[in-house]
């Protein structure tokens, strides 16, 4: 959990607080904190009160977007820090098209994971 860089903050179109996610999942906030601790979600401190926020694009239909957890694992294995992962996931890529985060939301995770694996080479 890191402080968010202004440039990366600008790449992410919308954010959710941990209580927002807990409500959407129908669980306690402590469970969402555990998901962050386990690396299944990325949370950063932002805003005046420095509350923890997760990109809204990581959540869909009351669940973590399919393919996100595996992609985060690949990026961590490639040595990416949380901010670097957010930058990669939310930087537009004309060849996808869109951002890797959008592709995951649209169930195009195979291509996103392939690209994440290629970063290690």
């Amino acid at each position: 959990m890191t402080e968010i860089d202004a440039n990366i903050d600008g790449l992410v179109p919308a954010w959710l607080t941990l209580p927002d996610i807990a409500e959407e999942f129908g669980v306690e906030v402590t469970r969402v904190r555990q998901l962050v601790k386990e690396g299944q979600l990325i949370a950063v401190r932002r805003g005046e009160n420095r509350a923890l926020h997760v990109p809204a694009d990581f959540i869909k239909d009351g669940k973590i977007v399919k393919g996100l957890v595996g992609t985060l694992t690949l990026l961590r294995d490639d040595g990416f820090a949380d901010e670097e992962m957010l930058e990669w996931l939310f930087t537009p890529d004309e060849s996808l098209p869109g951002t890797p985060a959008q592709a995951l939301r649209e169930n195009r995770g195979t291509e996103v994971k392939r690209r994440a694996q290629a970063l290690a080479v």
Side-chain angles (χ1 to χ4, degrees), residues 13-84:
W15 297 90
L16 294 171
T17 64
L18 300 191
D20 293 338
I21 296 168
E23 185 176 322
E24 188 163 338
F25 285 6
V27 298
E28 297 292 324
V29 174
T30 53
R31 176 64 186 132
V32 179
R33 286 185 184 281
Q34 187 65 32
L35 293 171
V36 171
K37 186 176 180 180
E38 292 169 355
Q40 295 184 46
L41 290 172
I42 297 174
V44 295
R45 296 202 178 273
R46 60 185 296 278
E48 286 184 30
N49 62 358
R50 296 180 21 90
L52 287 172
H53 288 77
V54 172
D57 283 348
F58 289 177
I59 309 300
K60 183 177 180 182
D61 301 328
K63 296 185 281 191
I64 296 173
V65 170
K66 181 180 174 187
L68 176 67
V69 175
T71 301
L72 294 179
T73 299
L74 287 169
L75 293 172
R76 275 194 191 89
D77 289 350
D78 291 345
F80 279 55
D82 285 358
E83 282 197 355
E84 293 169 323

